[in-house]
Amino acid sequence: ETLINDTSTSVMQTHPILFEQIDGTLICNMALRTRGSAGPSGLDATHWKRMCTSFRKSLISLCNALASFTRRIATEIVDPVTIEAFIACRLIPLNKNPGVRPIGVCKTVRRIIGKSILSVVKPDILSVTGAVQLCAGQNG
């Protein structure tokens, strides 16, 4: 059995119950742990932290909606055209002699959702990678 199936003939499936633990509280906690600059939306991690600590009633609705969206993209095949604005990135050129290296800065909400998904599947990643991946599970 291989870890990665041939995606040309079959679609890799995950059990949806695995992602049921993603809720508004987890999204808020991941937003508080996120750092970095803003993507195309202009909201950086500091703005998200401020929203998580200042606007409690509205925040609950926002985090629950993000949790629902996170569960959906983690368990279903979503048409990329429908989430085009979500996956948009800002490209920054980094001068490398010789040449230029593009650095992609994605939206903060995308990083929050990514951290939420990874927090759920982290034990599985650690058990699968084991000694093969040296830094699996390291902070930072």
Side-chain angles (χ1 to χ4, degrees):
E1 184 177 15
T2 62
L3 296 176
I4 300 175
N5 295 331
D6 180 13
T7 56
S8 62
T9 58
S10 65
V11 176
M12 293 174 42
Q13 296 290 323
T14 58
H15 202 284
I17 197 73
L18 177 68
F19 298 101
E20 284 300 314
Q21 54 190 308
I22 297 176
D23 58 0
T25 305
L26 179 65
I27 295 287
C28 186
N29 289 337
M30 293 300 129
L32 291 173
R33 292 177 42 192
T34 301
R35 295 179 302 223
S37 63
S41 67
L43 288 175
D44 64 359
T46 306
H47 286 99
W48 276 91
K49 288 177 186 177
R50 184 171 165 249
M51 285 193 298
C52 287
T53 56
S54 300
F55 308 105
R56 204 64 188 155
K57 289 183 182 179
S58 300
L59 173 72
I60 293 169
S61 298
L62 174 66
C63 288
N64 286 336
L66 279 177
S68 176
F69 177 70
T70 303
R71 287 190 302 271
R72 180 169 179 229
I73 64 171
T75 58
E76 299 175 16
I77 297 173
V78 180
D79 183 15
V81 174
T82 61
I83 58 172
E84 199 171 79
F86 172 70
I87 58 176
C89 287
R90 181 177 63 181
L91 291 176
I92 300 171
L94 180 65
N95 188 11
K96 300 292 267 184
N97 291 327
V100 176
R101 178 180 171 200
I103 307 252
V105 179
C106 63
K107 293 184 175 188
T108 306
V109 69
R110 185 173 171 186
R111 293 195 307 262
I112 292 168
I113 287 175
K115 285 180 183 227
S116 301
I117 292 172
L118 285 175
S119 73
V120 170
V121 297
K122 182 178 178 178
D124 295 331
I125 291 172
L126 291 175
S127 67
V128 169
T129 57
V132 176
Q133 181 64 37
L134 178 64
C135 294
Q138 297 292 321
N139 290 332

